[in-house]
Amino acid sequence: MRNFISPGRSLAMGSGGMAATSHPLATLTAIDVLRDGGNAMDAAIAAVAVQGVVEPAMTGIGGDCFMLYSRAGGPPIALNGSGRAPAGATCAWFAERAVTEINPLSPHAVTVPGAVDAWCRLNQAHGTRGLDLLLAPAIRAAEEGYRVTPRVAFDWAGSVDKLGRDGDAAAQFLPGGRAPVAGDLVRQPALARTLAAIARGGRAAFYEGEVAEEIVGKLRGLGGLHTAADFAAQASLEVKPIHARYRDVEVYECPPNGQGLIALMMMRLHERLAGDAHGEADRIHLMAEITKAGYHARDAYLCDPDHIDVAVEHFLSDAWLDRVSAHIRMDRASAFGAWDHVAHKDTVYLTVVDRDLNAVSFINSIFHSFGSGIYAPGCGVLLHNRGSAFRTTPGHPNAIAPGKRPLHTIIPGMVMKNGRALMPFGVMGGQYQATGHAHLLAHVFEEGLDIQQANEAPRSFATAGRLQVEPTVPSAVLADLARRGHDLEIVASPIGGSQAIMIDAARGLLLGASDHRKDGMALGF
């Protein structure tokens, strides 16, 4: 039980259903759907659609998504809702123009958004309510307006320069020439019309016709290679989850092109080496070292498996663990490998469990804050910039190619025990997410914290040559880490965000947790 004097949150509890999201309105939307008799998938789609309106820096229909779904607590299935590069995008095209990396603010960073196709597919396969009902709360929020919450305002304020680069984006997202502040009312009427069209016409309303035509026209006007055919061809894929044993549970992740494999690798490394960690400085140091090992492998090998095979079995083998763990020392920080330094920050994650124990782990993103900053005003779609993760180097596994999906940072997770869903969970924060998964799992299954306590624990992240730490880490711990050779950075912004639901089937109890680093909450009934 938590200390009721210290700041913190209690676990949410319920039995009829539970939802945990990063925004209060999204959580309330999910609960409303569940109380009205909808299932977990219905609630998840309704909630993520609302988040695409009220958290515009983080997510929207101009982005991608991934999902794990356990029907009635059984083995999960996975859906890859990531978009593909245009048919005209080749390394040769970029080489001819001396482009060595893809600018995250350019049209070339925009792959075809995959979220809408994924939502429609999930609705058809697993939903019990029509899109007209499920998208109604999001349409209402966009049309009538929503109040900006404090964390949303914080993120918005940091993107003024980006939004100002595109006159259309500035007109919508910088009313009066400034970012909205907490409590301001914001309307998005163009987005409301597009959501209403999707509610009536499904995926075709987004990938064909006026919406697709406007988006393609906007991108091509900026020099992009997109065509109407690229949009019409977009299709999400049901894929087989990957998984690994951790203590007495089994952890499931989506396979590449996402970085769920890296989370499993880091989790197994941590289990192997955690016996050498005897205090907070040891734990932070160990997580930093396994992050360096895991992310080096990520950026050297992870890619779209439709183009190059990713050796999942090798990276989850004891041989890989033996080789890497031998190079990790508890008394000294290792050098950083040559891994990706692109800032991957902005995403929403939500999880829903219903009374029948259908469990959804769902993540949706436009990548960087406000994505590419490119906005199509007629349809109200802000476009992500996931394609900036591509390389332009021929032969690299993650090199850009026609119809290829880039390396993705967004990863939903699902913990199983004895063949039953135990804990759908996720961590926001882009590049941090694989580390975040390993960190959360270690707190819960090695240290015995409940899921809310695990969410509230101080965070750290080894990235871009430095060890970032939140200011809640004690000074004595920081001094110890510095002595081991870590170049420390005390961050001004919180690291990541998280939601989780623990299923106690024996008691018929659902326990929910939501990270204080966001505006959201967990609610059960």
Side-chain angles (χ1 to χ4, degrees), residues 354-434:
D354 63 28
R355 60 171 53 84
D356 298 318
L357 301 187
N358 298 305
V360 177
S361 185
F362 202 111
I363 199 157
N364 212 98
S365 175
I366 56 170
F367 206 19
H368 295 178
S369 184
F370 286 98
S372 64
I374 299 172
Y375 178 71
C379 59
V381 176
L382 183 72
L383 295 162
H384 68 165
N385 57 351
R386 188 61 61 175
S388 61
F390 276 128
R391 306 295 181 90
T392 59
T393 308
H396 190 283
N398 194 36
I400 195 167
K404 190 174 182 179
R405 299 169 296 183
L407 164 67
H408 254 271
T409 57
I410 60 175
I411 47 174
M414 181 86 70
V415 178
M416 307 287 291
K417 186 171 184 178
N418 300 325
R420 304 288 297 175
L422 176 66
M423 188 182 84
F425 74 100
V427 178
M428 297 163 281
Q431 183 161 257
Y432 170 72
Q433 288 182 46

Side-chain angles (χ1 to χ4, degrees), residues 180-240:
V181 298
D184 280 356
L185 182 70
V186 173
R187 295 184 175 90
Q188 297 183 61
L191 178 58
R193 291 192 296 271
T194 297
L195 288 169
I198 295 168
R200 292 189 304 269
R203 72 170 302 282
F206 185 85
Y207 295 98
E208 304 170 22
E210 294 180 0
V211 172
E213 289 170 5
E214 187 197 2
I215 295 173
V216 168
K218 174 88 180 194
L219 292 169
R220 292 189 71 86
L222 295 171
L225 301 170
H226 308 73
T227 67
D230 293 324
F231 272 69
Q234 173 61 27
S236 53
L237 296 175
E238 185 173 314
V239 292
K240 184 179 180 180

Side-chain angles (χ1 to χ4, degrees), residues 11 38 101 127 165 192 241 271 390:
L11 284 164
E101 62 180 26
R165 292 169 56 95
E271 183 180 15
F390 276 128

